[in-house]
Amino acid sequence: MKLTEQDLRLLEFNSYEDYLNSLIDGKSLQYFGDRENLISLYRTGYSSDDYYSQRNHPTVRALTKEAFDAQRTFLQVTKDPNTLFSRNITPTDPFLQELAKRERSNRLGLLSTIIYMRYMKRNTEISGYIDYEEALRRVHQDQQYSNNWKAIFSGEQVLYPTPADLLYYNAKTGRSRKNNTRNYQILCDPQRGIIFRNTYDRKNIYPDPLVSFYGTNTSRIEIASDLYEQVVLYDHVVRKNY
């Protein structure tokens, strides 16, 4: 996973206060005048640009402290693949053990894992497909459907499909959702049904359990888990074209 210049810039700050101070410039002080008021505004997750975006200024939102800490943690892990959410944690559930084994290779982009699961939540079955690498990135605590991966690997929280994942279905409400991710485009074939196309090597993953071929460089493994009704992992070895 390649870090952008903006990502690397966030790692330069030793504290949240340093990050907030970096957002202050002459333009923002011109509108607000008082530095402390501006810092207080940034702490809420807003930017001074929100107040004059109608003048065609670009809007750049500040990170809250929770989002800053979560993002820096994620970036540190991404920068050093040996520092993982699952590091120093020994999961007890077989499914979580398998995810821990795949965390580093998914972060590096060598492997791309799609998780299929059926989970009972409050007597309602939630099912769907999760892009594991994309879900590892969704860690902002003030972001909807964020994941606390340390709590998940330690068994304190449960991972389950959400409307932010590749495919989501709530059996009680009938609500469904599908989303393309940075790793996969969702296709629908009249014969083969749902197909996930990897955006890096353009190979297709076929999740149909009744077939024996799941795609080039793709394998399927079903895992017995006490936490879920059913869990299946589709592991795709990525052949990047660059």
Side-chain angles (χ1 to χ4, degrees):
M1 186 188 308
K2 185 177 181 180
L3 299 183
T4 65
E5 290 185 7
Q6 185 176 3
D7 290 334
L8 294 174
R9 181 174 178 272
L10 198 62
L11 289 173
E12 295 175 358
F13 302 114
N14 294 321
S15 68
Y16 183 58
E17 297 302 323
D18 290 343
Y19 164 71
L20 292 179
N21 285 323
S22 75
L23 300 177
I24 297 177
D25 57 17
K27 182 179 68 174
S28 56
L29 283 176
Q30 177 183 354
Y31 277 86
F32 281 81
D34 187 275
R35 188 183 189 89
E36 293 305 315
N37 286 341
L38 193 53
I39 289 290
S40 296
L41 173 67
Y42 287 149
R43 289 183 187 279
T44 66
Y46 287 89
S47 166
S48 58
D49 288 341
D50 290 320
Y51 287 84
Y52 48 77
S53 59
Q54 68 273 15
R55 303 189 183 189
N56 297 321
H57 290 286
T59 299
V60 180
R61 289 186 178 274
L63 297 175
T64 64
K65 186 177 188 308
E66 292 77 12
F68 173 82
D69 290 341
Q71 183 68 352
R72 280 193 90 253
T73 298
F74 173 78
L75 292 172
Q76 288 168 341
V77 170
T78 304
K79 190 175 181 181
D80 179 6
N82 293 309
T83 303
L84 306 172
F85 291 132
S86 58
R87 190 174 187 180
N88 298 324
I89 298 176
T90 305
T92 57
D93 186 81
F95 165 60
L96 298 178
Q97 292 171 4
E98 294 296 330
L99 285 191
K101 293 177 184 177
R102 291 162 170 79
E103 183 182 359
R104 184 172 185 271
S105 56
N106 270 266
R107 287 187 179 282
L108 291 173
L110 303 176
L111 185 71
S112 183
T113 300
I114 295 177
I115 306 166
Y116 169 75
M117 61 169 55
R118 295 166 47 228
Y119 173 66
M120 293 299 298
K121 181 182 179 184
R122 299 173 186 171
N123 297 321
T124 299
E125 182 173 291
I126 305 294
S127 61
Y129 292 85
I130 299 173
D131 178 344
Y132 183 31
E133 189 274 339
E134 191 273 339
L136 284 169
R137 298 176 60 89
R138 203 165 61 241
V139 295
H140 289 183
Q141 294 181 19
D142 58 352
Q143 179 183 10
Q144 191 176 24
Y145 307 122
S146 64
N147 296 310
N148 183 337
W149 282 100
K150 286 189 176 296
I152 290 171
F153 281 120
S154 64
E156 298 172 11
Q157 294 184 14
V158 178
L159 175 71
Y160 54 85
T162 73
D165 289 304
L166 268 172
L167 285 173
Y168 165 85
Y169 178 68
N170 184 310
K172 182 177 182 179
T173 64
R175 182 187 181 189
S176 63
R177 185 75 180 268
K178 65 177 182 177
N179 306 284
N180 293 327
T181 68
R182 58 182 286 142
N183 299 299
Y184 288 101
Q185 177 188 6
I186 301 175
L187 307 175
C188 295
D189 184 89
Q191 277 76 44
R192 308 208 67 163
I194 293 293
I195 297 172
F196 301 112
R197 175 164 295 172
N198 188 277
T199 57
Y200 292 100
D201 63 10
R202 310 301 295 172
K203 302 299 183 183
N204 291 337
I205 287 81
Y206 305 101
D208 186 349
L210 300 180
V211 301
S212 57
F213 177 71
Y214 305 106
T216 303
N217 303 321
T218 301
S219 60
R220 178 185 186 273
I221 177 175
E222 187 161 355
I223 304 166
S225 169
D226 293 333
L227 301 175
Y228 302 92
E229 302 301 303
Q230 184 181 14
V231 176
V232 179
L233 300 181
Y234 294 89
D235 292 320
H236 176 65
V237 178
V238 182
R239 296 284 187 262
K240 294 186 178 181
N241 298 321
Y242 54 85

